[in-house]
Amino acid sequence: MTGGLAQAENPGPAGAIGLGNRGWSAADTNHSASANELEFSARAGVASDYIYRGTTLSDHGPAAGAAFETRFESLYAGTTVATVKLPTQPAAEFTFAGGIRPKVATIDFDLGVTYFAYPGERLPGETNGINYWEAVIRGDRRIGEQVRIAGGYAYSPNVSNTGAWDQYVAAGVGYDVPGRLLPQNLAISFTAAAGYSWFGNQAAQLGGFSLPAYLNWQAGVTFTHKAFNLDLRYYDTNLSKENCFVFTGDPNARPGGRVNRITNPDGLVSNWCGATFVAKAWFAFN
């Protein structure tokens, strides 16, 4: 994810600390280009599921994505495309991002803005599409040779075009296995992170109530061999199945849950927010 608190590639030879990953990022968020040089990054791959802040964007099915980014000194701009399976049935998810990655003392910052676009949507009922934008600030710091920490904050004034503002905070840690313990050209890193989302009220035509706040977390291991990367990761949230439906609008939700007269009068439940294991493989080029 270029602008959504996700580090694209490793800040060294190992895996990134993801803080709410969305899409397929093309570059390392704490990497800026050399002075007076224009640099490019690209990546493409597949995953067994597309998880964003603990919820699936592909109905727990496989997804594919690609990205491209260009950098000049600390400035960057990029775009990504990913397959999704959402209630409005868009053809794909596109992101367009730009920002700056300065280094202050020992902290690598990323300050950026991302626009999320979903062309080809079908727009049933009250929705007017789910395109929106988000602003992000993130900081990464290395502690010694093996340990990394990261934290970030994101804000959208109109998340998924619902009329509700969205705020998100996250923090994570990573450990890189010493290279002397591994075969040549192989890097292994263990990373974990947690984030918390909270929201304002939706537009009146969508009910006028606030979306449910929730906690998400993930942990996993990343293997890197030259340009090839493999990530094995566990994701989960504390959303109930009823609130999962309220939050995602899962079209495959089924009855049988607890009724809430305001947010979920039919007591529908969804499994789009539960524990999930994801395998993701991609090639990255700089």
Side-chain angles (χ1 to χ4, degrees):
M1 171 194 94
T2 305
L5 297 183
Q7 209 169 310
E9 291 178 32
N10 26 321
I17 301 171
L19 302 182
N21 303 33
R22 189 157 197 155
W24 297 77
S25 181
D28 181 352
T29 58
N30 67 9
H31 176 75
S32 59
S34 304
N36 300 318
E37 290 186 5
L38 194 64
E39 295 186 0
F40 303 93
S41 299
R43 66 163 27 183
V46 295
S48 61
D49 200 345
Y50 182 0
I51 301 293
Y52 169 61
R53 297 178 185 173
T55 67
T56 180
L57 298 186
S58 60
D59 194 12
H60 288 309
F68 179 82
E69 184 180 282
T70 182
R71 301 185 298 273
F72 182 77
E73 296 184 340
S74 60
L75 300 175
Y76 70 90
T79 184
T80 73
V81 59
T83 60
V84 292
K85 190 173 182 181
L86 298 172
T88 58
Q89 301 180 48
E93 175 191 77
F94 290 85
T95 71
F96 306 92
I100 185 171
R101 297 185 180 123
K103 186 179 182 71
V104 180
T106 60
I107 302 176
D108 294 293
F109 285 98
D110 187 336
L111 295 87
V113 175
T114 300
Y115 183 75
F116 300 94
Y118 300 87
E121 291 181 273
R122 299 180 182 180
L123 304 177
E126 302 295 336
T127 181
N128 294 312
I130 57 174
N131 295 356
Y132 72 103
W133 66 271
E134 183 178 70
V136 170
I137 180 171
R138 171 180 172 137
D140 288 76
R141 186 177 186 274
R142 182 174 287 276
I143 302 175
E145 293 295 322
Q146 272 70 57
V147 178
R148 295 170 282 124
I149 57 174
Y153 168 80
Y155 173 78
S156 173
N158 186 11
V159 63
S160 297
N161 199 25
T162 61
W165 53 258
D166 167 28
Q167 297 187 72
Y168 179 74
V169 293
V173 62
Y175 174 78
D176 304 331
V177 177
R180 65 180 182 276
L181 303 178
L182 300 171
Q184 187 177 7
N185 296 322
L186 177 65
I188 301 176
S189 66
F190 297 88
T191 54
Y196 184 75
S197 299
W198 69 104
F199 308 88
N201 292 336
Q202 299 181 97
Q205 63 267 29
L206 297 177
F209 55 83
S210 63
L211 293 167
Y214 73 99
L215 180 70
N216 76 89
W217 57 93
Q218 49 92 354
V221 58
T222 306
F223 303 88
T224 301
H225 179 71
K226 297 182 179 179
F228 178 74
N229 300 265
L230 174 65
D231 185 80
L232 306 175
R233 193 157 301 273
Y234 169 83
Y235 297 87
D236 205 353
T237 78
N238 69 341
L239 280 167
S240 67
K241 290 184 180 296
E242 292 87 352
N243 277 341
C244 183
F245 166 73
V246 174
F247 182 70
T248 65
D250 177 3
N252 299 315
R254 60 190 186 279
R258 296 181 61 182
V259 171
N260 183 306
R261 293 183 179 180
I262 297 175
T263 64
N264 194 348
D266 296 321
L268 298 177
V269 296
S270 169
N271 68 347
W272 278 15
C273 314
T276 308
F277 175 81
V278 177
K280 180 178 180 181
W282 70 96
F283 287 92
F285 305 96
N286 291 308

